Amino acid sequence: MSARKRISAEQRKENRKEVALAVLKNVPSSPRKMRYVADMVRGMEVFKALGVLKFSSKEAATKVEKLLLSAISNWEQKNERKAETGELYIKTISVDEGAMLKRLRPAPQGRGYRIRKRSNHVTIVVDTYNKEQEQN
């Protein structure tokens, strides 16, 4: 490997050290309901987002709260130190559609109504604030 490639690889590795992610798959609720909760905390500081999620009346908020705690824990383990208040923020949070269970419910006169039980996948990426980005 050339010296130039080695330097850029080391820089990429150092940049990845500040970022941590957590993924939750096959959550048995519709993506639309989960996106509503995700929109509430997108871009927030993590400890402020935990407060918002804790007092939200949405059922999906408890699942997102646990996932955010997992992402914080992943960051702490990766960086080998505790996260301080105001240090981390939610860089990205995405909700994707998962598998759909298709069922039929009996209806009058030999018909059937379709029932679609939806699921989703949630991904949270947590990052540190950069002082240089705030000044620009």
Side-chain angles (χ1 to χ4, degrees):
M1 187 184 302
S2 67
R4 186 172 143 222
K5 285 185 179 179
R6 189 177 314 113
I7 291 170
S8 64
E10 290 170 2
Q11 287 174 346
R12 283 194 306 267
K13 190 175 181 182
E14 192 64 34
N15 289 342
R16 266 185 287 158
K17 191 170 184 175
E18 294 181 357
V19 176
L21 74 122
V23 179
L24 181 63
K25 293 193 173 209
N26 296 320
V27 181
S29 70
S30 72
R32 183 177 183 177
K33 292 176 184 176
M34 191 64 79
R35 280 189 195 108
Y36 181 77
V37 174
D39 289 341
M40 288 193 315
V41 296
R42 183 171 282 124
M44 273 189 181
E45 191 265 323
V46 292
F47 295 108
K48 186 177 179 183
L50 284 172
V52 169
L53 292 170
K54 184 175 181 105
F55 295 106
S56 176
S57 62
K58 301 288 182 187
E59 186 180 328
T62 57
K63 294 171 182 154
V64 174
E65 181 184 4
K66 286 183 180 182
L67 185 64
L68 183 56
L69 286 170
S70 176
I72 294 168
S73 177
N74 290 345
W75 184 89
E76 289 173 347
Q77 187 175 8
K78 204 174 200 183
N79 291 284
E80 299 174 351
R81 63 187 181 92
K82 285 286 199 182
E84 298 174 10
T85 305
E87 181 178 15
L88 296 175
Y89 74 102
I90 299 173
K91 186 174 184 179
T92 59
I93 181 169
S94 63
V95 179
D96 301 320
E97 206 170 297
M100 189 184 316
L101 297 175
K102 296 177 181 174
R103 302 288 183 258
L104 283 175
R105 174 155 295 168
Q109 298 180 356
R111 295 189 183 100
Y113 293 135
R114 284 189 184 161
I115 305 263
R116 294 185 301 269
K117 296 182 180 181
R118 300 173 188 270
S119 67
N120 60 64
H121 308 305
V122 186
T123 306
I124 293 182
V125 178
V126 174
D127 196 5
T128 57
Y129 282 113
N130 280 343
K131 301 297 180 192
E132 297 140 11
Q133 287 179 349
E134 290 177 4
Q135 292 173 355
N136 291 337

